[in-house]
Amino acid sequence: MPQIPSENLRELFDRPVLGGLPPALRDGARAWLASAPAMVECRLPWDVLADTLDILGGLSADAEVLVATLWYDVPALREQVVPDLAARDPAIASLVEGQKAAAQVWALHAEHPAGSNTEGLRRLLLAIVQDLRVVPILLARQLARMRAAGDLPDEERRALALLTRDIHAPLANRLGIWQLKWELEDLTFRFLQPDTYRQLASELDGKRIERERFIERVKAQLREAMVAHGIAAEISGRPKHIYSIWRKMQRKQVPMDELYDLRAVRVTVDDVAACYAALGVVHALWAPIPSEFDDYIARPKANDYRSLHTAVVGPEGRTLEVQIRTHEMHAQAELGVAAHWRYKEGGSKGADRSFERKIAWMRRLLEQSGEGDTLGGGLEDELAEDRVYALTPKGEVIDLPQGATVLDFAYHVHTMVGHRTRGAKVNGRIVQLGHTLRSGDRVEILTAKIAEPRRDWLLPANGFLASGRARDKVRAWFHKLDRANNVQAGREILERELRRMGQLSADLAPLLKRFHADSVDDLYVQIALGDVGPTQVGRALFEEQRPPAPAAPSPRPPPARRSADAGSSFTVQGVGNLLVQLGKCCQPVAGEPIAGYLTRSRGVTVHRTGCAAFQRLAAANPQRVLPVEWGSGAGGYEADVQLTAVDRKWLLKDVTNLIAQQDVHVLGIHSEPLRNSGRVRFRLRLRVADYAQLSTLLGKLDALPGVEEARRSA
């Protein structure tokens, strides 16, 4: 890290650009610098640091932005003056962290400077930066570095120019900060194509004196005409940037002499009406060129640029471009969104709605691909935070939907990579295939030689795939298999679910119409292809088995329906308040078909209708059976789960973590090793919300490494 004299830093705090800093921070920095070592480490040379702050001052940056820039570039200042920065000023801390995060993108670009993934890197940068004010800080620092790059070695200067071309100049263009955009582009052009740059510069220099004299005559003539028509206007000449000239020559395939806007003037007026009045004066004074008129006031550019552009045949028959805009439009054209430094996310409660729309607009704008003066493809509906930008081991950026897993990542890279996936590493650590990715994660997919996707990847409850695109690829793979294989696979998937839930012997025929299947085999195929989930079938079975409500006896009025007590989760029909409890033998869960049995001393015991103990009691004393329904005030239900697995390190930790992630409460846990088998059995008593939550949990437990069986205890 370079070192700069501490006396230079002390002098910097006396400059007007830092005059708006909070007194406590400014005085604290001065006090430390008074006793600091003669040289202080800085990320930038002294002249580049000072120039960066001057550029931000020209953009009317606020105090938080200036402090964050200084604190990042001179770490010793932050460590000595505000070591608890995050607690004292979270906004400045967020700006500092955003600059640190951007360093990841610079490193990725350095790995592949000639790559074609520059748009992905720009998107990654915007995804990891929380406060958008970081972007103009990065642009100002890069411009200061480019201005000083003439003294760098050729290789280092070229790398800096490539980074500017790929990342910074396009972002400056999208933000509409023209005074940075043009200079960044010109310096990049100068360092990457020095011969072409020198040739164009020499041609322009040879005509400079003559062009300046011509512009002065035009300005005087136009000023007279505006005064004569009572229009208050400021008139100035505008230099044409070399890179812009070169691009226009390439686009139109014409020599420099045939460009209309090498000679240009700008007319700045008070309001929009005066813009069109001034346009009429210009066209009355000189003959317009019809094909060269653009009304960006009526139809602003995508980055909100507004102005009238016209080309005319001016004095001496020479072509001339005239731009007409208001003072407010001019500030917007020069500074872009940096003219609105309030665009920090999460403003005050009374924030202007139009300003909030501006923030959303800028987020969308920055995401767009495409180069040049306009953005291609239209604005997307999703903001940056709705996407995840993960990295391949080679640094390529993969654009995924929010919530995407490593398996989604594999299928996005290539279909066969997804089919052959057997594991993954994220940031060097082995993770499960359902691991959810975050922007900036570097993912390495571990593959097998043979493509063998698993059918349980298709089950939403298992959480392997969040992308519909990836799920379609898995489904297409299984569509290609023959019907017999799909029938067999679907049967195994459903039997596993029904065995877990104690419904293995249930009749599926009543469900065929519900799932639009002509036969049980057709239902199995739908399950195998992921069109129907086994949990859906299980829930439908419970609904089919629910006993119908008894008809009200006649001529007596219908019996009142009373809850057993205020906190009960089910309703007993036709009786008054009774003690009600769940049967310990079967422990029914909300959504399952249930029935009540009136005991001699403990009130009504609620059982699953398929409970063996209940069926024995009902056969012996059918008069004691009562209709029972689930109520709407359930606070959770107890269920016993049995899990058998290979005994391994961290098994219990993985099981309890998964249960916690599913928001299920553990009421009791017991484990016992199975002798001479290397296996262990867990008996868990859980509190779940309903049948669906229990089914999802059992499916996820069954998918844990080493778990052989996870089922509900009878």
Side-chain angles (χ1 to χ4, degrees):
M1 201 180 286
Q3 292 192 331
I4 60 176
S6 57
E7 61 179 295
N8 283 356
L9 285 174
R10 288 197 297 272
E11 177 267 330
L12 183 62
F13 279 92
D14 294 326
R15 290 190 178 188
V17 68
L18 296 183
L21 296 189
L25 292 180
R26 186 172 61 249
D27 296 343
R30 285 173 172 166
W32 178 75
L33 288 169
S35 58
M39 303 297 289
V40 178
E41 284 192 339
C42 179
R43 299 180 191 274
L44 300 172
W46 159 245
D47 56 336
V48 177
L49 173 61
D51 196 17
T52 299
L53 294 172
D54 287 339
I55 293 170
L56 288 172
L59 294 175
S60 304
D62 59 25
E64 287 181 347
V65 168
L66 295 171
V67 170
T69 305
L70 196 55
W71 269 206
Y72 174 77
D73 285 327
V74 189
L77 275 176
R78 179 177 72 253
E79 295 162 4
Q80 297 297 327
V81 179
V82 279
D84 55 344
L85 178 62
R88 290 181 56 180
D89 198 322
I92 295 178
S94 176
L95 290 168
V96 172
E97 289 303 314
Q99 295 173 80
K100 290 180 181 178
Q104 302 175 32
V105 178
W106 312 155
L108 288 169
H109 186 273
E111 292 178 14
H112 304 280
S116 59
N117 199 35
T118 56
E119 180 59 30
L121 290 176
R122 290 194 290 269
R123 287 172 176 264
L124 174 62
L125 172 65
L126 296 170
I128 61 181
V129 168
Q130 298 301 313
D131 191 327
L132 290 176
R133 292 179 297 173
V134 172
V135 178
I137 295 175
L138 303 177
L139 298 179
R141 183 181 291 120
Q142 191 72 1
L143 177 55
R145 294 179 67 198
M146 289 291 287
R147 287 174 175 175
D151 298 330
L152 295 177
D154 289 346
E155 185 176 345
E156 190 174 341
R157 183 171 60 241
R158 180 172 177 80
L160 187 66
L162 286 172
L163 179 63
T164 306
R165 180 197 68 185
D166 294 340
I167 306 295
H168 297 82
L171 287 179
N173 175 59
R174 296 177 196 186
L175 281 169
I177 309 178
W178 305 119
Q179 69 183 60
L180 301 191
K181 170 188 182 293
W182 294 122
E183 192 171 357
L184 285 169
E185 290 179 340
D186 273 6
L187 290 170
T188 301
F189 185 45
R190 173 186 171 188
F191 295 143
L192 294 181
Q193 300 187 51
D195 294 338
T196 306
Y197 180 89
R198 280 193 293 267
Q199 179 182 350
L200 289 176
S202 63
E203 291 183 31
L204 287 173
D205 286 343
K207 302 175 181 178
R208 177 172 297 172
I209 296 177
E210 184 274 334
R211 192 169 69 249
E212 288 177 351
R213 289 174 180 169
F214 176 80
I215 290 296
E216 288 302 319
R217 293 196 298 272
V218 167
K219 287 165 59 179
Q221 191 172 350
L222 191 53
R223 193 175 292 112
E224 270 183 44
M226 293 295 172
V227 170
H229 286 80
I231 300 173
E234 294 180 10
I235 301 172
S236 59
R238 176 177 65 82
K240 189 68 175 176
H241 297 271
I242 294 178
Y243 177 73
S244 177
I245 293 173
W246 178 78
R247 282 201 59 198
K248 188 163 286 190
M249 290 170 61
Q250 299 298 311
R251 188 169 64 247
K252 294 191 173 184
Q253 295 294 308
V254 295
M256 186 183 297
D257 290 340
E258 294 184 27
L259 295 180
Y260 295 125
D261 54 356
L262 290 182
R263 295 169 289 270
V265 294
R266 180 180 299 121
V267 179
T268 312
V269 295
D270 294 331
D271 52 38
V272 173
C275 288
Y276 289 98
L279 178 67
V281 172
V282 171
H283 285 177
L285 191 60
W286 300 303
I289 301 173
S291 61
E292 297 297 321
F293 172 70
D294 292 296
D295 187 345
Y296 295 122
I297 294 178
R299 296 181 301 278
K301 291 188 178 182
N303 51 22
D304 209 29
Y305 174 84
R306 292 172 297 157
S307 184
L308 296 176
H309 289 197
T310 186
V312 298
V313 180
E316 305 171 19
R318 298 182 181 183
T319 57
L320 170 73
E321 183 187 59
V322 181
Q323 294 181 359
I324 306 170
R325 60 180 67 148
T326 66
H327 297 288
E328 186 270 335
M329 292 175 191
H330 181 62
Q332 176 74 19
E334 290 298 299
L335 300 181
V337 295
H340 305 274
W341 277 97
R342 293 194 315 122
Y343 65 74
K344 180 178 68 174
E345 309 271 357
S348 63
K349 291 183 180 179
D352 182 11
R353 286 190 176 182
S354 64
F355 176 70
E356 296 302 324
R357 288 195 296 270
K358 185 78 171 181
I359 293 174
W361 163 80
M362 193 178 73
R363 274 267 186 211
R364 294 193 298 270
L365 178 65
L366 284 168
E367 287 182 351
Q368 296 307 299
S369 60
E371 305 298 339
D373 295 335
T374 59
L375 302 176
L379 295 179
E380 296 180 0
D381 293 330
E382 296 176 332
L383 302 184
E385 53 267 29
D386 293 329
R387 309 295 296 174
V388 172
Y389 303 99
L391 308 169
T392 68
K394 294 183 178 181
E396 296 295 311
V397 179
I398 302 298
D399 181 354
L400 298 164
Q402 190 73 28
T405 65
V406 293
L407 195 54
D408 287 305
F409 179 96
Y411 274 104
H412 194 98
V413 171
H414 195 277
T415 301
M416 288 309 298
V417 172
H419 289 340
R420 293 166 52 205
T421 297
R422 291 299 173 267
K425 291 182 180 179
V426 175
N427 302 324
R429 182 174 61 89
I430 293 179
V431 298
Q432 298 180 8
L433 294 183
H435 176 83
T436 302
L437 296 174
R438 296 183 299 176
S439 290
D441 282 346
R442 192 182 286 258
V443 184
E444 178 184 356
I445 300 297
L446 308 177
T447 59
K449 292 183 179 179
I450 302 174
E452 291 180 334
R454 288 164 38 189
R455 294 184 186 271
D456 58 350
W457 291 355
L458 290 169
L459 303 181
N462 290 345
F464 286 112
L465 295 169
S467 163
R469 171 185 174 186
R471 195 175 290 110
D472 287 343
K473 290 182 177 181
V474 179
R475 189 178 290 112
W477 167 272
F478 289 113
H479 265 297
K480 294 179 182 178
L481 299 181
D482 58 73
R483 178 178 172 83
N485 284 341
N486 282 324
V487 169
Q488 178 63 25
R491 179 186 294 110
E492 292 173 358
I493 293 171
L494 183 57
E495 286 180 353
R496 186 163 59 246
E497 169 70 14
L498 298 183
R499 183 181 295 110
R500 281 199 293 253
M501 304 308 297
Q503 291 289 315
L504 186 57
S505 60
D507 182 14
L508 300 177
L511 305 182
L512 298 181
K513 184 176 181 181
R514 177 169 182 166
F515 292 105
H516 307 289
D518 295 328
S519 65
V520 174
D521 283 353
D522 287 341
L523 180 60
Y524 289 148
V525 171
Q526 291 183 40
I527 295 170
L529 298 177
D531 298 327
V532 174
T535 305
Q536 292 175 266
V537 178
R539 188 181 295 111
L541 277 173
F542 286 134
E543 292 174 0
E544 286 288 334
Q545 294 169 2
R546 186 188 302 275
S554 181
R556 295 172 58 189
R561 297 175 59 182
R562 301 279 303 276
S563 291
D565 57 69
S568 177
S569 58
F570 21 68
T571 300
V572 181
Q573 296 185 6
V575 297
N577 288 337
L578 288 175
L579 174 65
V580 180
Q581 60 187 350
L582 290 173
K584 294 183 179 179
C585 52
C586 59
Q587 293 181 333
V589 174
E592 295 183 304
I594 53 177
Y597 184 81
L598 182 61
T599 66
R600 295 184 185 276
S601 59
R602 298 192 305 273
V604 177
T605 302
V606 177
H607 296 264
R608 285 190 282 162
T609 54
C611 173
F614 169 73
Q615 290 175 351
R616 287 196 302 271
L617 292 170
N621 300 286
Q623 71 278 7
R624 292 179 178 270
V625 176
L626 297 174
V628 180
E629 292 181 356
W630 290 106
S632 58
Y637 309 93
E638 294 182 13
D640 285 332
V641 169
Q642 181 174 295
L643 185 147
T644 305
V646 175
D647 197 1
R648 63 173 174 83
K649 190 176 181 180
W650 309 123
L651 174 61
L652 181 58
K653 177 176 177 287
D654 290 345
V655 170
T656 53
N657 282 349
L658 178 57
I659 292 173
Q661 289 170 8
Q662 298 302 308
D663 199 24
V664 173
H665 298 280
V666 179
L667 303 178
I669 186 167
H670 173 75
S671 66
E672 58 177 338
L674 303 179
R675 290 186 178 182
N676 303 321
S677 67
R679 290 170 172 76
V680 63
R681 176 176 293 140
F682 291 103
R683 288 187 173 88
L684 308 167
R685 171 155 288 190
L686 308 175
R687 180 175 292 278
V688 298
D690 52 25
Y691 169 85
Q693 187 182 40
L694 178 59
S695 176
T696 299
L697 174 64
L698 290 174
K700 288 184 176 292
L701 286 172
D702 199 40
L704 283 176
V707 173
E708 296 178 348
E709 182 186 42
R711 63 180 176 83
R712 185 177 176 184
S713 299

